[in-house]
Amino acid sequence: MQPAGIAALGLLGLALTTPPSLGQSAYPSRPITVIVPFAAGGPTDIVARIVTGHMAATLGQQIIIENVVGSGGTTAAIRAMRSTPDGYTIMMGHMGTHGAAVALNPTVGYSPSHDFEPIGMAVGMPVLILVRKKLPAENLTEFIAYLRDHAFPLTMAHAGLGSVSFATCLLFNSIIDAHPAMVAFQGTGPAMQALIAGRIDYMCDQIVSAAPQIGAGMIKSFAIASPQRSPILPDVPTAAEAGLEAFQVSAWNALFAPKRTPPTIITQLNDALGQALDDPLTRKQLLELGSEIPGTDGRTPGALTNLVNSEIVKWMPVTHSVTVTGR
Ligand code: MLT
């Protein structure tokens, strides 16, 4: 046989024996990286590790969490946006990275709706006002008076411009006309350590990392910014009960893939996410930390698209009505 014929037969043989691992149907054939836009130990990291633990088992591949910190989560979002859209790099985004950060700075470098494929919402996340243990106030009214009247500005921790802790406390401060000295951290995980140590006066943070510290008496909480009290923190009043009805906010975490990730892969990831959210042990872990698990209607990529669009519109007036010092 002529060499060309041999080559042709060889190619034919390769085509017949090529395993589907080179095609989409074999996805995933290697570990998946989930970018978390804040430091380890914070709310986004906690949720990502719980949810992807179960997703890894469903997908039959390891899922690696990569904490990419900086610029209120937007460094990570840009990194995720620029990743190859093959399903091997996705991101745990949230109300900040895919909402408030872009409302705050439309030239941040990405569009949550145009540069990402929504995979699905993981959890809803109540937000609380948290105060260092020894601050001399026992309820929200006393805290607001102390915050307004203190001779020196109190210190408020946040996780960067546009983060959940930044945007939600921006709203809180604007409602009560407070002007704290803002101190940025690479996530509310490290900010929480500063609050526990008494190096920071207050912050607005998500329930999953706040609840264990409140329960252990390491910090105080004067209000949850939700319509109802949380079942895991029954002694913490709602903002309305505490006298600040206008402070109503809630955060969320959701998975996003870079734009042009194939629809079959998005479907697989969404299905694995749904299985995680239906798994009794995963649910128990999430619920015991106070997060809220979306029903099946709230987990679809379409529902996440609507949520992202509504959040940008919602946060636009808040982030533009105040002077941002971001110290
Ligand atoms: C975190 O995971 O550290 C938080 O979600 C940061 C934030 O947005 O406040």
Side-chain angles (χ1 to χ4, degrees):
M1 188 177 288
Q2 296 302 309
I6 293 170
L9 272 180
L11 281 176
L12 180 63
L14 187 66
L16 290 173
T17 57
T18 297
S21 63
L22 293 180
Q24 286 175 10
S25 60
Y27 172 85
S29 61
R30 57 187 168 86
I32 297 167
T33 296
V34 175
I35 295 177
V36 166
F38 297 99
T44 320
D45 184 73
I46 292 170
V47 169
R49 287 177 197 274
I50 294 173
V51 171
T52 61
H54 192 275
M55 289 177 71
T58 303
L59 294 165
Q61 279 294 341
Q62 195 186 357
I63 295 186
I64 298 160
I65 301 289
E66 189 182 350
N67 298 87
V68 178
V69 302
S71 303
T74 59
T75 301
I78 291 170
R79 167 99 160 260
M81 171 190 74
R82 290 182 180 154
S83 299
T84 306
D86 57 5
Y88 289 100
T89 305
I90 60 175
M91 171 181 186
M92 183 63 85
H94 74 353
M95 185 218 87
T97 56
H98 286 67
V102 181
L104 183 71
N105 179 10
T107 61
V108 70
Y110 61 89
S111 157
S113 39
H114 294 124
D115 294 324
F116 293 89
E117 306 287 353
I119 295 169
M121 180 171 167
V123 288
M125 192 73 79
V127 172
L128 298 121
I129 300 170
L130 307 175
V131 173
R132 70 176 162 83
K133 188 178 170 179
K134 292 193 176 157
L135 190 135
E138 293 310 322
N139 56 47
L140 189 63
T141 307
E142 289 179 15
F143 172 58
I144 292 172
Y146 187 79
L147 182 53
R148 279 198 192 127
D149 302 339
H150 202 256
F152 301 101
L154 265 61
T155 47
M156 185 205 98
H158 65 90
L161 303 190
S163 63
V164 167
S165 46
F166 182 85
T168 54
C169 252
L170 202 61
L171 178 61
F172 173 67
N173 294 339
S174 71
I175 294 168
I176 64 168
D177 193 28
H179 304 276
M182 298 190 184
V183 184
F185 289 80
Q186 291 189 334
T188 54
M192 180 66 77
Q193 295 310 311
L195 190 70
I196 291 169
R199 287 185 276 114
I200 288 292
D201 291 312
Y202 74 105
M203 71 172 169
C204 300
D205 198 15
Q206 300 160 63
I207 196 165
V208 294
S209 49
Q213 309 304 342
I214 298 167
M218 307 299 278
I219 55 172
K220 299 191 277 199
S221 179
F222 292 146
I224 186 165
S226 306
Q228 272 97 36
R229 295 186 183 205
S230 167
I232 66 153
L233 291 172
D235 296 335
V236 176
T238 65
E241 288 170 337
L244 198 66
E245 192 163 8
F247 188 50
Q248 293 294 323
V249 288
S250 62
W252 45 267
N253 289 120
L255 288 172
F256 295 87
K259 196 76 187 170
R260 286 181 293 283
T261 301
T264 51
I265 290 178
I266 298 295
T267 302
Q268 257 181 287
L269 290 167
N270 177 271
D271 181 60
L273 172 64
Q275 290 192 45
L277 299 181
D278 286 337
D279 170 61
L281 185 60
T282 308
R283 291 180 74 82
K284 185 168 180 285
Q285 286 178 286
L286 293 170
L287 294 172
E288 279 179 355
L289 289 172
S291 52
E292 295 163 353
I293 300 173
T296 44
D297 287 354
R299 299 175 194 170
T300 64
L304 183 53
T305 297
N306 294 339
L307 180 63
V308 165
N309 291 337
S310 68
E311 286 286 41
I312 295 172
V313 171
K314 176 174 154 189
W315 284 101
M316 198 73 81
V318 177
T319 52
H320 286 255
S321 66
V322 288
T323 306
V324 174
T325 57
R327 274 183 287 166

